[in-house]
Amino acid sequence: MVVPELRSWRAVRPRIARVADTVRPRLTRVAAAARPRVTRLVRAATAQVTGVRTWPYTAGATVVGLALAAGAVTVAGPWDSSGQRTAERDRAAAAERAGGVRHERAPGRSGSAAGAPRPAPSAASVLTGLGAETVRAAPNGPALASVLDPVVSDPALGTRRAASVVDLATGGQLYGSATGDTFTPASTTKIATAVAALAALGPDHRLTTRAAYEPDTGELVLVGGGDPTLTAREDADGWASLRTLAADTAAALAERDVREVTLSYDTTLYAGSDLHPIGVNDNLARVTALMADEARTDDSTRGPVYRVPDPAADATRAFAGFLKDHGVTTSAPGPSKATTRADTLATVSSPPLSALVERMLTNSDNDLAEALARHTALASGERPDFDGAARAIHARLAKLGLPLTGAVFKDGSGLNREDRLSASLLTALLATAADPGHPELRPALTGLPVAGFTGTLSGRYTDGAAGVVRAKTGTLTGVNTLAGTVVAADGRLLGFAFLAEGTTDPTAAQTALDRAATALAACGCR
């Protein structure tokens, strides 16, 4: 997602960089010296995996984390002119340079568009900077099973469960249990939505909202572009600004010597019902092509909150207020449709799709997920409603050769309990996003929440695996899921998916899933 650079950060960044340059060599030596002891502790702990002990791994993660943190300030740059942090995308994805195991460019690629994602480096290049040994072969199945079987069989994971672990360098499966069975995936559905949208639209695609003027009638139409991140807030924070659109529109009207207009809004980009099958719910606004700030009724940017009942009308009223600030008088807004004769006076566009996907995954943003599903439908020639979006997602994933047996899509967010995905499909999605032949899909990985630090995992893994697990969570009543990537103890980058149904205690189920990912992170499993 787009992360604006704070002014205070600009002032102190050079000083912090100098401190980092000074301490990094020392911390690197500490990490290298401590690694053999930490490795022995981790292996000793994994031998008694029942109720996985995470303190040895935490100790190792702390030492390694200190060394990584020393370099993070320098690595986190550069920062572009808009304040966007480019490091994660620059280091985790690239089209031009090779990066780790099998990360050569696709045949025939001589370059990439500016800002296009680059292939993700393997864990080897990260660990080499710590003076550690190079990455070994992938964990073997029997050893991995001895670690994961006791954890995955935890009764807290309900009456049905499935698990899949793959080597992201090769796509080969390392561990599996009921991998082909389909489950209600909850919000891990967003991984599928992300991959389908990126495949259909490309990472540089933007969503545009415009103001169109009908010269024959004097009608000004606010035309929704399906961008739920459009904001009416004073600080747009890098997102498309309704205030900017109003200012530019007023200036264009002034050039025409127009000071009064009939104001309308156009939401015809989407079709069908705007109400999700779950009904009115604080987790999701009505799915309409025009809204501001996801129709939230407070200053929040994520999580459940009451939404305004008519997002398009509410956004247009805000637009009218901003026009009034610039001397333009409007009528009370109503629904309409811009004609082909209308002149576009001004536009504002979202950040690129890569940033939207990252925000969707990091925050588990349901509004954005449903919007991207509809845009996938539009790009695929399907009707932009719930059914058309579902068909488009399925078709896009089929074109990528993914295992879709039994898969059912009913929405883009995973709020619909009729969605059905398998553990093998989820890990195949992760492997495809990591494939150097598909750099356009990389945001489906870089947007995953980081354990202990960002998004829906910011408060989890505080006692182990923080920073090395990146995963999308999923929670509905009786359903708990987790799918993502992990750097194992030997430095191998793995993809995993754990699905559970029939859970009765969501906290216990979440803890069990976290324990499984932590066990995977701590496992060298030779």
Side-chain angles (χ1 to χ4, degrees):
M1 64 177 288
V2 174
V3 182
E5 182 179 17
L6 300 176
R7 293 185 182 90
S8 58
W9 171 248
R10 292 192 182 102
V12 302
R13 176 154 47 95
R15 186 179 304 171
I16 295 177
R18 288 195 295 272
V19 172
D21 288 338
T22 300
V23 303
R24 188 188 304 106
R26 188 175 304 170
L27 289 174
T28 299
R29 290 194 295 272
V30 171
R35 183 179 176 83
R37 184 176 303 174
V38 171
T39 300
R40 288 194 295 273
L41 287 170
V42 169
R43 289 174 178 166
T46 55
Q48 303 176 21
V49 74
T50 302
V52 175
R53 302 184 183 187
T54 59
W55 69 266
Y57 182 74
T58 303
T62 300
V63 173
V64 175
L66 284 172
L68 285 171
V73 173
T74 303
V75 169
W79 299 67
D80 66 25
S81 59
S82 68
Q84 166 68 32
R85 177 174 55 80
T86 60
E88 185 171 57
R89 200 169 294 128
D90 286 346
R91 291 182 63 83
E96 272 300 328
R97 65 174 181 269
V101 179
R102 293 183 56 194
H103 283 204
E104 65 278 0
R105 284 178 289 139
R109 283 187 182 270
S110 59
S112 61
R118 305 174 187 168
S122 66
S125 62
V126 176
L127 297 181
T128 300
L130 296 176
E133 58 195 344
T134 57
V135 170
R136 305 168 183 170
N140 71 64
L144 195 55
S146 69
V147 169
L148 288 182
D149 280 348
V151 185
V152 173
S153 62
D154 190 327
L157 292 179
T159 56
R160 294 183 67 229
R161 71 285 303 270
S164 176
V165 179
V166 300
D167 178 1
L168 289 183
T170 65
Q173 184 152 4
L174 306 176
Y175 175 85
S177 174
T179 58
D181 295 351
T182 58
F183 288 68
T184 299
S187 277
T188 55
T189 300
K190 293 183 176 75
I191 298 174
T193 302
V195 170
L198 289 164
L201 299 160
D204 298 323
H205 183 77
R206 296 173 186 263
L207 312 181
T208 299
T209 306
R210 65 190 180 97
Y213 183 66
E214 301 281 2
D216 296 338
T217 62
E219 181 185 16
L220 180 66
V221 186
L222 181 59
V223 183
D227 178 12
T229 68
L230 176 71
T231 181
R233 293 169 183 168
E234 187 171 2
D235 182 4
D237 200 26
W239 306 101
S241 170
L242 194 61
R243 292 170 184 261
T244 298
L245 183 62
D248 292 347
T249 300
L253 289 170
E255 291 180 359
R256 296 170 178 252
D257 198 27
V258 174
R259 293 290 183 270
E260 185 174 352
V261 295
T262 299
L263 184 60
S264 303
Y265 55 88
D266 182 346
T267 62
T268 59
L269 181 67
Y270 293 170
S273 173
D274 63 2
L275 185 63
H276 191 282
I278 64 172
V280 176
N281 192 287
D282 287 353
N283 287 293
L284 180 71
R286 287 182 175 269
V287 184
T288 175
L290 177 62
M291 66 174 71
D293 300 302
E294 299 182 338
R296 293 173 177 273
T297 53
D298 62 11
D299 293 332
S300 66
T301 58
R302 67 189 70 178
V305 68
Y306 178 73
R307 313 304 179 94
V308 298
D310 190 342
D314 184 71
T316 309
R317 284 191 291 269
F319 184 63
F322 301 145
L323 287 173
K324 184 177 180 180
D325 292 340
H326 292 280
V328 178
T329 302
T330 71
S331 66
S336 185
K337 178 177 172 57
T339 70
T340 56
R341 299 185 304 275
D343 298 327
T344 296
L345 300 185
T347 64
V348 289
S349 295
S350 72
L353 185 67
S354 56
L356 301 183
V357 164
E358 289 179 345
R359 169 170 163 165
M360 175 188 69
L361 293 171
T362 299
N363 295 345
S364 198
D365 192 317
N366 297 310
D367 300 282
L368 198 43
E370 296 302 342
L372 295 186
R374 274 167 168 67
H375 282 283
T376 302
L378 287 165
S380 304
E382 292 284 356
R383 191 169 188 259
D385 58 11
F386 284 106
D387 290 340
R391 288 191 298 271
I393 291 172
H394 194 285
R396 289 291 172 175
L397 301 187
K399 286 184 178 180
L400 291 170
L402 293 165
L404 291 165
T405 301
V408 176
F409 296 97
K410 291 294 184 178
D411 64 4
S413 61
L415 288 172
N416 195 320
R417 301 181 70 90
E418 293 183 18
D419 291 326
R420 308 295 290 178
L421 303 183
S422 66
S424 63
L425 173 56
L426 285 169
T427 49
L429 285 163
L430 296 167
T432 302
D435 188 335
H438 289 288
E440 75 282 1
L441 305 181
R442 207 71 73 242
L445 297 183
T446 59
L448 293 172
V450 180
F453 290 96
T454 64
T456 53
L457 290 186
S458 59
R460 293 166 62 168
Y461 296 90
T462 55
D463 62 346
V468 296
V469 168
R470 306 189 66 147
K472 183 71 204 73
T473 58
T475 307
L476 293 171
T477 302
V479 173
N480 293 87
T481 60
L482 189 70
T485 68
V486 59
V487 180
D490 60 0
R492 201 71 177 182
L493 186 62
L494 308 178
F496 67 87
F498 302 123
L499 306 174
E501 283 184 354
T503 59
T504 56
D505 183 338
T507 300
Q510 175 180 296
T511 300
L513 292 175
D514 291 350
R515 189 180 299 122
T518 299
L520 187 57
C523 180
C525 299
R526 301 275 147 226

